[in-house]
Amino acid sequence: MSYLVTAPIYYANAKPHIGSLYTTILADILARAAILAGESPSSTRLLTGTDEHGLKIEQAAKKAGQAPAEFVASVSKSFEQSFLQFGLDRETLVFAHTTDPRHRQLVQTVVKSLDQAGLIYKKEYRGWYCVGCEEYKEEYQESAAAELNVEAPSCPLHQHPLSLVTEPIYFFRLSQFQDDLIRVIESQRFRIEPATRRHEVLSFLAQPLRDIPISRQRSKVAWGIDFPLDCDHTVYVWLDALLYYLTFSDETLDSTGAKPSFWPANVQLIGKDILRFHAIILPAVLLALDLPLPNCLLAHGFFTVEGQKMSKSLGNVLTPDSLLEALPGPLATEAVRYLLVTMTQVGEDADITLTRFQDRYQAELVNGLGNLTQRLITLAVKAQFEVENWQALSGSTTDEASDHTSDQTIDQTSDQTSRVAANFDLDQLKLDPNQPLTLTHQLEALWQQFEAINQRLSQSAPWLGLNPEATPAARHQAEQVIAEELNTLRRLVQVSLSAVMPVTAQTIETQIATLTPVALFPRLSTLKR
Ligand SMILES: [Zn+2]
């Protein structure tokens, strides 16, 4: 068995933004969850990387006074470093570059295969083109074909006028795959989530599907992969970018074109802005090549800041760095991981404000998980637990043991306490690497369990049993409660928290193992806010 989760590749023309960080952290959590569910790290992969060809990059490089290759190398490096800073698992991460020679070879092989299957033709094309999107805007195609002097429409995304481009280019017969696409999406053989996005794709597919351009004239876009059927053309950057999934999921790729070793993806994560590319075009190409489709395509929402779209002109762009700077302490990157992925239900839009980010840090990490950990370990120290054998007190000596009460000869009250502590199914709290849509719910459930430990401690007040005047029976019961809850915390951290906050989880485990309580998350100073 193997597990593959993919994030998109990001345009190497700027720094990472919060949206790309969100997708990539989500992917890392799923990869870690797969390993916790029994997958080995060597059979688990997280793909992401940078999209390094195309006109936009050619132009950005020119502006920076650099050659495109030099320019993308430095931008790509900063992307990788920025992501790694947020604790991506280096063992599973594959960071792809579309300028990699292996990728060029795969793209050219794919174009030749599509041509051999009769799925490529050349046609004079005139259309409205957005340089920002690097795509022809199909919705304005009629006016472009009919009238040269018509006023240029604006790109809805970039708000600047489209260019009217006329060029003979090569097309892929996307229209031939309309029925097949509807069939695999409706049957959920190709699962698109959330359901709103699936319906959006199906309603788009209710209209006749047009064939799409897959080459650009070299005179217009030189910075691209050579189009293997015509040396005056380069491969259109969207095809180049989408095929990244095939190149870099295949670690056995060689000149014989062996089958990808990790493909198909278990989960493909994208932002909803690139839904059509991933829900229609890529699956059509995969069907054409007779390759399997991903099991699940999940499109998440957009981020706004205080209710407004992030934009340079509004000066409200939040970067990964601005999130980090808002939080204190050595575990700040881990706090960002947790707070960012739980900002909204997976799949929905999210509004971020730094104040809310900090409020949640204070409530859920400082006062929640952090306090609980310190409170429990401090109690264990007060009870004079010994590092080697305190676990025996809880009646649970192994990680797997969930039935704490079966062969204990303890008094009635303490037996009930143990049952309360054990009264949840640990497996339900394991994050499911194949159900990304439920991730936020599962993390909410985890935090409810932390809160439940706190409440049980308040109710049973084990510190009373640690008083010198307490009876031996009361002391025994107090010790048992503390050991029990410490064990519960440790297991929650191991099976679930470690996917989201791996360093924090490790720190908590060490503190429990050595019975050394140290504050995990420093309080926000009033100055910082
Ligand atoms: Zn645009």
Side-chain angles (χ1 to χ4, degrees):
M1 285 300 285
S2 67
Y3 180 86
L4 173 65
V5 56
T6 66
I9 42 174
Y10 305 106
Y11 263 126
N13 68 341
K15 283 185 182 312
H17 51 74
I18 287 187
S20 37
L21 182 68
Y22 173 80
T23 325
T24 312
I25 288 176
L26 214 53
D28 183 63
I29 292 171
L30 293 174
R32 288 175 185 275
I35 293 170
L36 287 169
E39 207 63 68
S40 85
S42 62
S43 62
T44 304
R45 288 291 178 273
L46 186 187
L47 293 194
T48 187
T50 39
D51 185 354
E52 303 178 349
H53 287 128
L55 192 55
K56 240 197 299 190
I57 286 162
E58 215 174 318
Q59 290 170 340
K62 203 171 173 187
K63 212 171 155 188
Q66 287 178 311
E70 188 190 354
F71 177 78
V72 294
S74 77
V75 176
S76 173
K77 192 98 218 136
S78 86
F79 256 90
E80 189 173 4
Q81 279 164 352
S82 173
F83 287 154
L84 284 172
Q85 186 187 6
F86 287 92
L88 298 200
D89 185 350
R90 287 169 190 262
E91 225 179 324
T92 59
L93 175 67
V94 175
F95 196 91
H97 305 273
T98 56
T99 48
D100 188 319
R102 285 176 303 164
H103 181 61
R104 181 181 59 223
Q105 193 170 13
L106 178 128
V107 171
Q108 292 179 335
T109 306
V110 165
V111 171
K112 285 183 213 159
S113 305
L114 295 177
D115 184 48
Q116 277 157 16
L119 293 168
I120 293 181
Y121 63 92
K122 193 177 184 183
K123 185 179 97 170
E124 184 73 30
Y125 187 76
R126 186 161 73 221
W128 292 111
Y129 185 83
C130 174
V131 173
C133 300
E134 296 204 35
E135 63 180 16
Y136 284 102
K137 293 291 166 184
E138 292 296 330
E139 56 268 44
Y140 306 117
Q141 174 52 15
E142 296 304 331
S143 71
E147 180 63 72
L148 266 175
N149 296 325
V150 73
E151 197 188 330
S154 282
C155 169
L157 203 66
H158 290 93
Q159 307 291 341
H160 62 66
L162 300 173
S163 325
L164 190 58
V165 174
T166 306
E167 54 182 331
I169 44 180
Y170 290 86
F171 280 75
F172 168 61
R173 295 186 193 277
L174 181 64
S175 57
Q176 288 199 359
F177 295 89
Q178 182 143 15
D179 294 340
D180 286 343
L181 286 169
I182 294 172
R183 196 167 38 78
V184 294
I185 294 169
E186 274 182 345
S187 69
Q188 302 216 37
R189 204 184 104 201
F190 173 43
R191 185 156 59 99
I192 300 174
E193 289 187 335
T196 47
R197 300 278 94 84
R198 180 166 69 246
H199 297 146
E200 187 184 319
V201 172
L202 284 171
S203 74
F204 183 78
L205 283 170
Q207 311 296 320
L209 208 50
R210 292 169 192 270
D211 294 343
I212 48 161
I214 59 166
S215 80
R216 299 298 314 274
Q217 283 196 303
R218 190 185 295 280
S219 58
K220 294 202 166 66
V221 185
W223 181 240
I225 293 175
D226 294 342
F227 194 71
L229 310 178
D230 186 333
C231 59
D232 289 335
H233 289 246
T234 54
V235 175
Y236 206 152
V237 69
W238 67 257
L239 180 63
D240 171 352
L242 284 176
L243 291 175
Y244 122 84
Y245 294 106
L246 295 184
T247 304
F248 296 94
S249 62
D250 184 355
E251 293 171 12
T252 66
L253 191 71
D254 52 29
S255 53
T256 64
K259 262 201 153 184
S261 53
F262 280 88
W263 192 259
N266 296 62
V267 176
Q268 212 173 10
L269 296 173
I270 57 166
K272 65 183 179 183
D273 52 327
I274 48 176
L275 179 64
R276 281 185 200 173
F277 284 103
H278 287 77
I280 294 173
I281 301 174
L282 178 62
V285 171
L286 291 170
L287 289 169
L289 296 171
D290 208 16
L291 287 173
L293 303 175
N295 297 328
C296 171
L297 172 69
L298 184 135
H300 66 73
F302 286 152
F303 285 96
T304 52
V305 175
E306 317 224 358
Q308 286 189 301
K309 210 181 151 180
M310 275 186 256
S311 82
K312 277 185 190 149
S313 53
L314 286 173
N316 67 346
V317 177
L318 281 182
T319 63
D321 283 344
S322 40
L323 295 183
L324 262 186
E325 284 157 14
L327 302 177
L331 293 174
T333 52
E334 296 251 311
V336 169
R337 283 173 66 100
Y338 166 71
L339 294 171
L340 192 59
V341 297
T342 52
M343 218 58 192
T344 183
Q345 297 298 326
V346 175
E348 286 169 24
D349 292 341
D351 188 50
I352 297 196
T353 67
L354 282 184
T355 319
R356 197 153 62 91
F357 212 69
Q358 292 181 321
D359 287 347
R360 290 191 50 221
Y361 169 81
Q362 198 72 30
E364 291 159 48
L365 294 174
V366 180
N367 298 334
L369 178 62
N371 264 7
L372 171 65
T373 306
Q374 232 187 330
R375 183 185 192 191
L376 261 175
I377 302 177
T378 305
L379 277 171
V381 172
K382 268 192 193 145
Q384 296 176 313
F385 279 10
E386 284 165 20
V387 168
E388 296 80 21
N389 56 12
W390 65 265
Q391 283 186 50
L393 292 165
S394 75
S396 162
T397 50
T398 65
D399 296 348
E400 282 72 37
S402 56
D403 186 357
H404 307 268
T405 55
S406 53
D407 47 13
Q408 297 291 305
T409 48
I410 45 179
D411 71 44
Q412 190 63 28
T413 333
S414 140
D415 185 50
Q416 276 167 359
T417 312
S418 297
R419 281 184 192 285
V420 174
N423 190 22
F424 62 89
D425 183 357
L426 207 57
D427 279 339
Q428 279 187 351
L429 290 169
K430 278 190 179 166
L431 305 176
D432 186 338
N434 290 302
Q435 300 294 339
L437 210 52
T438 64
L439 191 77
T440 338
H441 287 296
Q442 288 179 300
L443 289 175
E444 278 165 12
L446 176 65
W447 248 256
Q448 280 162 11
Q449 290 302 332
F450 292 146
E451 185 47 36
I453 297 178
N454 254 328
Q455 284 173 4
R456 288 195 299 267
L457 283 177
S458 297
Q459 277 160 17
S460 56
W463 47 89
L464 296 178
L466 300 181
N467 283 338
E469 310 84 55
T471 64
R475 176 161 184 106
H476 177 72
Q477 191 190 324
E479 285 173 353
Q480 212 162 24
V481 167
I482 296 165
E484 190 78 51
E485 299 295 5
L486 204 52
N487 234 336
T488 304
L489 175 66
R490 192 174 57 90
R491 284 152 58 233
L492 291 172
V493 164
Q494 283 171 343
V495 303
S496 190
L497 185 75
S498 60
V500 186
M501 305 178 79
V503 180
T504 309
Q506 193 57 55
T507 310
I508 294 175
E509 281 206 61
T510 307
Q511 289 193 13
I512 292 177
T514 58
L515 295 178
T516 319
V518 182
L520 292 168
F521 304 103
R523 287 184 180 280
L524 282 165
S525 70
T526 41
L527 282 178
K528 187 114 192 173
R529 312 197 66 182

